[in-house]
Amino acid sequence: MQVAPKLSLGRNNGWIIHAAGGRSFAGRSVQFQRLNALTGQWVTLRKVLLNSKSSARVLYAMPKGVSHLRVTMSVNQAGAGFLGAIGPTITWHQT
């Protein structure tokens, strides 16, 4: 049976990314993405490696206005027994 890892995105002195599953995702990469309002396509801002706690911190200055953000992990990065995953979309208002 294959399951997708749970991806979360939060804010604390930068963007905090966490992956949860039945095992550690240390050394695996995730993509931090922003929705391009003009084209409707997701653009990868940073590709980051997860640490030993399956987390990562991303420092990225958002443009002014509203940004829709998410985190994704490919099936290849998730590993055996896991599917690719897309985290929930976060709406961020930058002043």
Side-chain angles (χ1 to χ4, degrees), residues 16 23 40 53 59 79 88-89 91 93:
I16 306 298
R23 63 169 180 83
K53 296 179 182 177
L59 298 176
T89 301
T91 301
H93 300 274

Side-chain angles (χ1 to χ4, degrees), residues 13-79:
N13 293 329
W15 294 98
I16 306 298
I17 298 167
H18 184 73
R23 63 169 180 83
S24 171
F25 291 99
R28 305 292 181 155
S29 68
V30 294
Q31 295 178 332
F32 180 55
Q33 298 180 330
R34 178 176 180 263
L35 183 64
N36 183 322
L38 296 176
T39 64
Q41 293 182 326
W42 289 95
V43 178
T44 299
L45 303 175
R46 293 260 160 69
K47 188 174 180 182
V48 294
L49 291 178
L50 299 175
N51 64 19
S52 61
K53 296 179 182 177
S54 297
S55 296
R57 178 174 303 208
V58 178
L59 298 176
Y60 191 85
M62 291 295 160
K64 290 187 178 186
V66 177
S67 294
H68 300 283
L69 307 166
R70 73 178 185 181
V71 179
T72 64
M73 179 184 279
S74 72
V75 65
N76 292 335
Q77 287 299 315

